[in-house]
Amino acid sequence: MNDLPPPTTLTPHPAWRFWDNPIFRRYCRSRLRPRGLFVSILITVMIAAFLFAITRSAAEYRAHLTAIDAERAPLIPLLVLQGLLLFVLGTAQVSGGMVAERDEGVIDYQRLIPMTPMAKVIGYLFGLPVREYVLVFATLPFTAWCLWKGQVAMAAWLPLAIVFFTSTLLYHFTGLVTGTVVKNRRWAFLVSIGLVFVLYTVAPQMSRFGLVFFKYLTITPVLEECMPALLPRPVGAVVEIGKLLAPTVKFFNLDFPEAAFTVFSQSSLILTFMIMLARRWKRAESHLLGKTWATVFFIWIQVLLLGNALPLVESGNVFPSHGFSRYMRLADGWEPSAMETVAMSGIYGIVTLVLLFILAGLITPAPDDQERGWRRARKQGKRSLAFLSDPATSTWFVVVMALAGAAGWYLFTRSLVESRWFPGHTVPLSVLGYFTVVMLSVAMAFQTLLEAKGGRFMFLAAIVVGIAPILVGAVLGTTSNSLGTPAIWFTAASPVSLPLYAAGSLLSISELPPEISRAVPRAFHFWLLVMIFTALWQAWRLAATRSAMARQVLGSEPPPVAAERDPS
């Protein structure tokens, strides 16, 4: 009779209990050691106290504001300090820490721990930047004092605090994904910080060209909404007047609060990053995204872009020049220009194409991945790859994304051209056909080349074919007016520039200068035809290559099996 106790079953650690997470507690011990933490807190509190004292004193004794207004003055400087700690330093720590974990082999060890992938993600998400969270908590007494003495209503600062936290999660998830993908620690640091920098510099500018959605990946919209109540009252009154002139957020004519829509927009990206990391924790060789999720996510981004932009067309708020005229007191005689609209259509097409490149790159298998997939199928006795598996071709999913991108591009362009600002102009269905051909040909050329040759070859091709023609065209165009036509032809050779050329060639409102009015349509049609033949040729070669690989792997002899010994 066996007197041993029955074996205990291990239950996975709940992901939501991050304070009991072993990974989180490990980083609390390593990053919150008293000696290093005390120095960091001392420096942070000194900076926060300096900002609090100098802005409060300047507001009260130099600007002669009331006591309540003077207490509000340090709020924005303190917010900037807290943003630097969490958005910049925290994101850099997350990305760099993940690379260090992988270099030291800790990631492989963590895969053996009986924890769910999401629990591991949460542990790293809050564990790696735990010191930065503590430093921000050390500055909160100054913020709380300003809110209390400045008599700031909770309705003014609570939405900003919520969006500040969701933005922190978004940027830290970005750092986790970057640290998981990028192998070099320095490059992971630069890429993660670069992404945060782009969100606060390039994204607001993109919103001026109709791509309003990207602005809601930052705290900027909510900060602008809450700013009048956070500033001293004389300054806040001026900001309030400017806020009344700015358009409110609309998603298909549904009025959402800025905070609600910002959290809603950021949550879609946070969920996508969580899925990426969970897939990598389950299997190190898996793609960051599955084919179905990448396709649905691309279509969802198109819906968000259109939902933000289309309601602002009739009022003119979607046009870049309307924003300038609003502040220059020229709004009475303002009308959008034709070339401004053509440029907006082209930029929408380019951004859609870039998003398609990114998602197609995430789901397209490299040649090595395809071969491993076929070998796994042979061991399992299968004669084909599962349609949704990572080693399977991503061609059909890229086709669906290209069709969705062309439809979104067409709807955006049609809403601009057929608005009340351009009476008598229409966008026929033939334009939709051209947009579809542009998206399909460029996307298929990219996907087939990536799937057939791999990422390194694709990177070199992107430099030679995608970037070099634009640089040559820019140099020729600025050298002499007589070289304008060659510059147009060189620039059109880049597949990235085709959406801009399509808008300039196909739209009836296009008013190109006489010296380039003939060169642009000719260059567009010529290079589009070249791109179509390139995509078809690459697709044929890819099909032949995959068939040859399948025959080679499936037709090879199975690995030998050791013969069993005769017991006699």
Side-chain angles (χ1 to χ4, degrees):
M1 184 175 180
N2 189 2
D3 295 333
L4 295 176
T8 58
T9 57
L10 296 177
T11 58
H13 189 281
W16 57 272
R17 295 181 58 182
F18 70 93
W19 56 88
D20 285 339
N21 193 298
I23 300 176
F24 174 76
R25 297 178 67 178
R26 169 196 161 206
Y27 279 106
C28 287
R29 295 189 185 99
S30 62
R31 299 210 67 219
L32 299 182
R33 292 173 180 170
R35 181 179 299 178
L37 181 64
F38 175 76
V39 175
S40 300
I41 291 179
L42 179 62
I43 296 175
T44 303
V45 171
M46 286 179 60
I47 297 174
F50 170 75
L51 294 175
F52 173 82
I54 193 171
T55 52
R56 185 176 177 278
S57 300
E60 185 173 1
Y61 299 109
R62 296 295 181 180
H64 303 291
L65 298 178
T66 62
I68 294 177
D69 294 330
E71 297 291 353
R72 295 184 180 186
L75 283 173
I76 300 303
L78 289 173
L79 181 65
V80 173
L81 174 62
Q82 294 159 357
L84 288 175
L85 290 173
L86 282 180
F87 295 170
V88 179
L89 298 182
T91 304
Q93 178 61 36
V94 169
S95 60
M98 283 300 295
V99 176
E101 292 280 284
R102 188 176 63 245
D103 293 342
E104 296 170 1
V106 180
I107 295 295
D108 297 329
Y109 168 75
Q110 294 288 355
R111 296 183 189 279
L112 304 176
I113 297 179
M115 295 173 60
T116 61
M118 193 53 60
K120 298 174 184 177
V121 171
I122 297 299
Y124 280 109
L125 178 69
F126 291 103
L128 283 167
V130 65
R131 178 179 291 185
E132 284 70 25
Y133 276 109
V134 172
L135 297 181
V136 170
F137 288 146
T139 66
L140 291 183
F142 299 99
T143 302
W145 177 272
C146 295
L147 295 175
W148 176 41
K149 290 296 184 178
Q151 300 181 7
V152 179
M154 180 181 294
W157 61 263
L158 184 59
L160 182 60
I162 294 174
V163 173
F164 187 88
F165 178 68
T166 58
S167 299
T168 300
L169 292 181
L170 176 61
Y171 305 150
H172 289 181
F173 268 114
T174 304
L176 277 180
V177 174
T178 304
T180 304
V181 175
V182 180
K183 297 181 179 180
N184 185 277
R185 185 172 185 175
R186 183 176 300 175
W187 275 109
F189 168 80
L190 294 176
V191 169
S192 59
I193 297 302
L195 289 175
V196 176
F197 176 78
V198 166
L199 281 176
Y200 282 89
T201 55
V202 179
Q205 304 306 318
M206 294 174 66
S207 65
R208 298 180 182 273
F209 291 89
L211 306 175
V212 187
F213 162 72
F214 293 101
K215 183 176 66 172
Y216 293 96
L217 301 181
T218 68
I219 66 170
T220 305
V222 181
L223 180 61
E224 292 175 350
E225 183 181 50
C226 300
M227 186 80 77
L230 300 177
L231 293 172
R233 285 171 293 186
V235 182
V238 177
V239 175
E240 182 69 27
I241 295 175
K243 194 182 75 170
L244 294 176
L245 297 175
T248 58
V249 59
K250 290 181 178 292
F251 183 71
F252 291 115
N253 288 322
L254 300 174
D255 291 330
F256 287 105
E258 296 280 2
F261 190 78
T262 302
V263 173
F264 176 73
S265 302
Q266 293 180 356
S267 298
S268 60
L269 270 181
I270 291 175
L271 179 60
T272 302
F273 287 150
M274 292 173 65
I275 292 176
M276 289 181 178
L277 295 166
R279 284 176 60 87
R280 276 297 173 91
W281 275 107
K282 287 181 180 178
R283 186 165 165 266
E285 299 83 10
S286 66
H287 293 169
L288 286 175
L289 279 181
K291 294 177 172 60
T292 302
W293 185 271
T295 306
V296 173
F297 182 67
F298 179 84
I299 297 174
W300 176 241
I301 293 295
Q302 289 294 315
V303 172
L304 290 177
L305 290 174
L306 294 175
N308 288 142
L310 298 188
L312 302 178
V313 173
E314 292 300 322
S315 62
N317 291 321
V318 74
F319 296 96
S321 60
H322 188 269
F324 298 116
S325 66
R326 193 168 57 235
Y327 296 107
M328 297 174 61
R329 300 182 181 275
L330 300 176
D332 293 338
W334 173 86
E335 287 185 359
S337 66
M339 292 311 298
E340 174 186 18
T341 307
V342 171
M344 291 175 64
S345 173
I347 291 174
Y348 188 98
I350 292 174
V351 172
T352 300
L353 205 57
V354 171
L355 290 174
L356 203 158
F357 288 162
I358 294 173
L359 292 176
L362 294 179
I363 65 174
T364 300
D368 294 340
D369 298 332
Q370 301 170 40
E371 186 173 356
R372 283 195 297 267
W374 283 114
R375 293 186 183 279
R376 188 179 301 109
R378 185 193 66 176
K379 293 179 181 179
Q380 297 173 354
K382 299 178 181 178
R383 306 297 298 178
S384 62
L385 298 174
F387 184 66
L388 297 178
S389 64
D390 286 349
T393 182
S394 62
T395 300
W396 303 112
F397 298 92
V398 174
V399 168
V400 173
M401 286 191 283
L403 294 175
W409 183 15
Y410 175 77
L411 291 175
F412 179 77
T413 303
R414 182 179 178 181
S415 66
L416 295 179
V417 176
E418 296 185 1
S419 63
R420 68 182 182 90
W421 304 105
F422 304 100
H425 290 277
T426 59
V427 182
L429 286 177
S430 60
V431 175
L432 175 61
Y434 271 103
F435 285 0
T436 303
V437 172
V438 169
M439 286 291 170
L440 278 176
S441 59
V442 177
M444 290 304 300
F446 174 86
Q447 183 268 335
T448 52
L449 186 61
L450 178 61
E451 191 166 324
K453 298 296 184 180
R456 292 186 177 180
F457 188 88
M458 188 67 239
F459 179 74
L460 179 62
I463 295 176
V464 175
V465 180
I467 299 177
I470 298 178
L471 299 180
V472 173
V475 172
L476 292 177
T478 56
T479 302
S480 173
N481 292 333
S482 61
L483 297 177
T485 299
I488 291 173
W489 279 83
F490 267 104
T491 306
S494 172
V496 181
S497 65
L498 281 180
L500 194 59
Y501 277 71
S505 304
L506 303 174
L507 300 183
S508 59
I509 62 173
S510 179
E511 300 175 352
L512 297 174
E515 59 271 13
I516 63 172
S517 59
R518 297 171 60 184
V520 170
R522 291 178 180 178
F524 165 68
H525 287 91
F526 173 79
W527 288 113
L528 179 60
L529 190 62
V530 171
M531 188 57 59
I532 293 173
F533 281 112
T534 302
L536 294 175
W537 178 61
Q538 283 291 124
W540 176 79
R541 284 192 59 189
L542 177 62
T545 302
R546 290 187 65 93
S547 298
M549 181 184 297
R551 288 193 301 268
Q552 180 182 3
V553 176
L554 297 178
S556 60
E557 292 295 331
V561 181
E564 296 183 359
R565 293 183 177 181
D566 188 359
S568 62

